[in-house]
């Protein structure tokens, strides 16, 4: 169960359901029964909620903090668990404990703050829920908010806000909060994989000239339309189509179990493992993002490939993009026609890919310059 608001009965019901299903750690944590790692040292409580990107951001920040502040213990809580992500990225993280977090009922919030007595609170991706925001104020626990839009209740004392872009910074200014707001920065660019082994295209297509095309973020209802459009497209005669999203059809080969052998032209492959995102970003002729998290967008930007998006996708560094760098398209047949046109105009394809890669490296350099500033803040605590 994923209920983390402040309703007593619903939270009790969710915990009962979790306990019956064997998820006792989640059931207990929902009511604040959380233990800090180690025995000594002040605690930083990081809350990453339900976003996989923000969990990864929390892990990477914890690694950097551990190098700067050797006495600090870190606790990262979340409301949705991503076991593969945690297993892959926490192996080298020192003094970091992680697990499910509390709901927003006053009893749960109070218990967590009593058990952790955090030196600081760091929210990743959103502001704390109202009861926690109020409790931080009562306990005089300074809050740092990163990559978060302003919520219904702003915690006080508010030490710092690190907006991820100018849009988010403007949202804070619109709420009349400017003093604590730092210059926009997206630290996620620092752990985006920017250099990729180029062998993927040749391995999966059987040739260095193989044509790979990738669309990510499909809903369950969109797979059939993409497959039909691909079968009717001339691109299917020589290329491979990679599709990622929810509820992939069972008859499609899956990238997670690919045996490093070449696939026949025209094949459609389900992208079911995000560890292949860097290779696809670098090898695909073009990428379409039906939906996309900011972290995935940075990965695609770094791949230097032409990009299209579905209308409504909030783009990274939108204010830096020329109008024709990233096109808004929706219908699969229309997107495949666009890809066909790009195949015939190599110069335009290269220019569009180079434009997003420049933006990625610009933001990465900026984040690299700003990280020491953030770590110095942590050291000064």
């Amino acid at each position: 169960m994923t209920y983390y608001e402040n309703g007593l009965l619903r939270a009790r019901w969710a915990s009962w359901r979790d306990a019956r299903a064997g998820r006792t750690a989640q059931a207990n944590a929902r009511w604040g029964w959380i233990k800090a790692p180690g025995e000594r040292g002040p605690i930083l409580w990081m809350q990453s909620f339900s976003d996989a990107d923000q969990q990864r951001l929390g892990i990477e920040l914890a690694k950097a903090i551990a190098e700067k502040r050797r006495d600090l213990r870190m606790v990262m809580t979340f409301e949705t668990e991503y076991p593969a992500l945690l297993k892959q990225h926490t192996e080298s993280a020192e003094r970091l404990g992680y697990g499910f977090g509390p709901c927003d009922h006053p009893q749960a919030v109070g218990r967590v703050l009593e058990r952790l007595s955090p030196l600081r609170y760091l929210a990743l991706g959103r502001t704390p829920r109202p009861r926690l925001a109020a409790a931080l104020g009562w306990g005089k626990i300074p809050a740092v908010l990163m990559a978060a839009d302003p919520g219904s209740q702003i915690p006080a004392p508010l030490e710092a806000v690190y907006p991820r872009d100018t849009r988010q910074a403007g949202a804070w200014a619109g709420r009349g909060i400017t003093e604590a707001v730092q210059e926009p920065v997206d630290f996620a660019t620092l752990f985006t994989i920017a250099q990729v082994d180029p062998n993927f295209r040749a391995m999966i297509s059987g040739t260095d000239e193989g044509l790979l095309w990738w669309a990510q973020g499909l809903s369950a209802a969109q797979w059939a339309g993409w497959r039909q459009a691909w079968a009717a497209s001339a691109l299917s005669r020589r290329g491979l189509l990679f599709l990622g999203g929810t509820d992939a059809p069972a008859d499609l080969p899956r990238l997670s179990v690919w045996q490093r052998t070449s696939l026949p032209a025209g094949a459609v492959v389900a992208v079911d493992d995000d560890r292949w995102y860097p290779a696809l970003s670098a090898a695909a002729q073009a990428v379409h993002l039906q939906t996309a998290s900011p972290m995935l967008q940075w990965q695609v930007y770094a791949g230097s490939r032409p990009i299209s998006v579905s209308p409504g996708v909030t783009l990274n560094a939108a204010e830096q993009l020329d109008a024709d760098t990233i096109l808004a398209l929706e219908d699969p047949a229309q997107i495949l026609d666009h890809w066909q046109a790009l195949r015939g105009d190599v110069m335009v394809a290269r220019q569009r890919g180079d434009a997003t890669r420049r933006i990625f490296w610009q933001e990465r350099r900026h984040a690299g310059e700003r990280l020491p500033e953030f770590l110095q803040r942590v050291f000064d605590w």
Side-chain angles (χ1 to χ4, degrees), residues 225-226 229-230 233 330-339:
W226 268 96
W230 174 250
S233 172
E330 181 65 27
D331 180 68
Q334 182 186 23
I335 297 162
L336 289 166
D337 287 344
H338 168 61
W339 287 350

Side-chain angles (χ1 to χ4, degrees), residues 120-123 128 136 141-145 155-161:
R120 289 294 190 281
Y121 167 83
L122 172 59
L136 292 170
I141 300 169
V144 177
L145 311 180
L158 181 60
E159 179 176 319
V161 177

Side-chain angles (χ1 to χ4, degrees), residues 303-336:
S304 192
R305 301 294 165 176
I307 305 167
S308 59
V309 299
S310 292
V313 172
T314 300
L315 289 169
N316 290 353
E319 69 283 354
Q320 301 177 47
L321 294 167
D322 294 333
D324 61 349
T325 298
I326 299 182
L327 303 184
L329 303 170
E330 181 65 27
D331 180 68
Q334 182 186 23
I335 297 162
L336 289 166

Side-chain angles (χ1 to χ4, degrees), residues 19-38:
R20 283 202 58 175
R23 299 185 294 267
T24 55
Q26 186 173 4
N28 292 335
R30 186 179 281 107
W31 288 100
W33 298 106
I34 293 172
K35 182 179 179 181

Side-chain angles (χ1 to χ4, degrees), residues 143-356:
V144 177
L145 311 180
M146 189 169 290
D149 290 323
S152 60
Q153 183 167 337
I154 308 300
L158 181 60
E159 179 176 319
V161 177
Y162 288 85
R164 63 174 300 272
D165 53 28
T166 56
R167 179 202 60 80
Q168 206 167 71
W172 284 98
R175 291 286 295 273
I177 298 174
T178 57
E179 185 175 348
V181 178
Q182 310 299 302
E183 181 184 354
V185 61
D186 194 339
F187 290 122
T189 54
L190 293 176
F191 48 89
T192 300
I193 299 175
Q195 304 295 335
V196 181
D197 189 321
N199 295 333
F200 177 73
R201 180 188 292 125
M203 290 175 63
I204 201 163
S205 68
T207 170
D208 287 330
E209 289 75 36
L211 303 178
L212 313 184
W213 311 92
W214 179 26
Q216 186 67 28
L218 277 63
S219 67
Q222 292 171 325
W223 291 83
W226 268 96
R227 295 177 74 178
Q228 291 170 6
W230 174 250
S233 172
L235 294 176
S236 66
R237 298 170 193 163
R238 292 186 55 199
L240 301 175
L241 177 63
F242 294 83
L243 297 177
T246 58
D247 298 319
D251 65 311
L252 290 181
R254 278 159 165 70
L255 197 52
S256 61
V257 294
W258 174 50
Q259 297 299 309
R260 305 314 199 259
T261 58
S262 61
L263 299 177
V268 179
V269 183
V271 181
D272 61 339
D273 188 339
D274 60 9
R275 285 180 294 182
W276 289 102
Y277 288 174
L280 280 168
S281 298
Q285 301 297 119
V287 181
H288 179 77
L289 300 175
Q290 196 80 29
T291 60
S293 69
M295 196 173 294
L296 174 55
Q297 287 189 50
W298 284 130
Q299 187 64 71
V300 175
Y301 281 22
S304 192
R305 301 294 165 176
I307 305 167
S308 59
V309 299
S310 292
V313 172
T314 300
L315 289 169
N316 290 353
E319 69 283 354
Q320 301 177 47
L321 294 167
D322 294 333
D324 61 349
T325 298
I326 299 182
L327 303 184
L329 303 170
E330 181 65 27
D331 180 68
Q334 182 186 23
I335 297 162
L336 289 166
D337 287 344
H338 168 61
W339 287 350
Q340 183 72 59
L342 286 175
R343 184 185 170 194
D345 197 336
V346 176
M347 184 61 69
V348 168
R350 181 178 295 121
Q351 289 173 347
R352 290 179 177 174
D354 288 347
T356 52

